[in-house]
Amino acid sequence: MTVVVKLGGSVITEKDQPETVADDRLAGLAGALADGDIDDLVVVHGAGSFGHPRAAAHDVSATDGVQDAAAIRDIAGTMEALNTAVVGALADAGVAAVPVHPASVAHRTADGALEFPTGAIETLLDDGFVPVLHGDIISHAGAGATILSGDEIVTHLARAVDADRVGLCSTVPGVLDDDGTVIPSITAFSDAAGALGGSDATDVTGGMAGKVRALLALGSPAYVFGPAGIEAFVAGDDVGTRING
Ligand code: IP8
């Protein structure tokens, strides 16, 4: 069983406190991942109160690049610090976690396409390690460097490692309908269009609609769930919202 799971940045950091890890929540998630019986596990984490404020301060996004080396070091440095905390929490829980920094291996071509060789990640998995990646700032031909979100890494890696299951651990317990209740299953965008804004138009905010669309395009089932759902996800149960196109 090969599993790719993303720990949302808002879950593992205190979103209102700059560069503050949510130690207890992170330890709880790390413990659940350690207790799971997953042969091949890849962990990806988001930026939360580490990368996002710095990216905003330097006016850089997934499409708007930055040419200033100091800005790139600033954003990459804060994400390395968060990754060190996540790898440390996983290691403390007994997971064979090792850091993989996307900035060192991935780039975007001039048309924005992601090039992300995954040989190192597949080799780590084959040898029993748990690669831990994160949203990052990566070189972008002609634009300096742009942001690579953890969500984009998840969908890219899920295909590369042929994941059996994908999980997004978010602050919400699933994709919510208009009443705030969790939609248990989404097999087409229309299943959730009302709650996600009603149209299948391109999502520029990177919000839930964009996540759902990207996860529907995967071959493997994906789950969106809150921190309380991690044990069930790791156990292979249906949890939160199941997205399978
Ligand atoms: O939190 C963003 O990753 P995300 C990465 O997964 C940076 O969207 C550096 C802001």
Side-chain angles (χ1 to χ4, degrees):
M1 171 76 80
T2 301
V3 173
V4 178
V5 65
K6 182 186 173 197
L7 308 179
S10 306
V11 177
I12 60 166
T13 72
E14 302 292 357
K15 76 172 174 11
D16 299 328
Q17 295 170 42
E19 303 194 331
T20 305
V21 176
D23 290 312
D24 290 349
R25 278 199 299 275
L26 177 56
L29 295 169
L33 292 174
D35 291 345
D37 189 19
I38 296 170
D39 307 326
D40 290 327
L41 173 65
V42 181
V43 177
V44 179
H45 65 82
S49 66
F50 283 71
H52 284 294
R54 301 280 184 109
H58 295 296
D59 276 332
V60 56
S61 70
T63 49
D64 295 321
V66 63
Q67 301 277 357
D68 175 13
I72 298 170
R73 287 195 300 270
D74 190 36
I75 297 166
T78 197
M79 289 311 300
E80 274 190 40
L82 178 56
N83 182 252
T84 298
V86 175
V87 169
L90 287 163
D92 287 349
V95 176
V98 292
V100 176
H101 303 301
S104 304
V105 283
H107 75 278
R108 289 191 202 278
T109 58
D111 62 3
L114 177 64
E115 295 284 336
F116 192 161
T118 54
I121 292 154
E122 290 165 60
T123 305
L124 287 166
L125 287 175
D126 286 347
D127 284 351
F129 297 107
V130 174
V132 184
L133 298 92
H134 53 89
D136 211 345
I137 181 159
I138 60 170
S139 59
H140 187 148
T146 50
I147 297 298
L148 172 66
S149 77
D151 291 348
E152 200 175 346
I153 298 173
V154 166
T155 48
H156 182 77
L157 288 186
R159 289 192 177 91
V161 303
D162 198 15
D164 298 294
R165 277 162 74 82
V166 170
L168 295 188
C169 181
S170 168
T171 48
V172 286
V175 181
L176 306 179
D177 69 13
D178 290 337
D179 302 332
T181 47
V182 172
I183 301 170
S185 172
I186 297 176
T187 56
F189 193 84
S190 54
D191 293 348
L196 295 175
S199 96
D200 197 7
T202 303
D203 178 60
V204 292
T205 64
M208 193 60 89
K211 289 190 210 298
V212 168
R213 194 175 298 107
L215 295 173
L216 278 168
L218 282 180
S220 38
Y223 295 84
V224 177
F225 54 90
I230 188 80
E231 276 98 357
F233 175 74
V234 165
D237 297 338
D238 281 352
V239 61
T241 301
R242 184 181 202 273
I243 300 171
N244 201 359

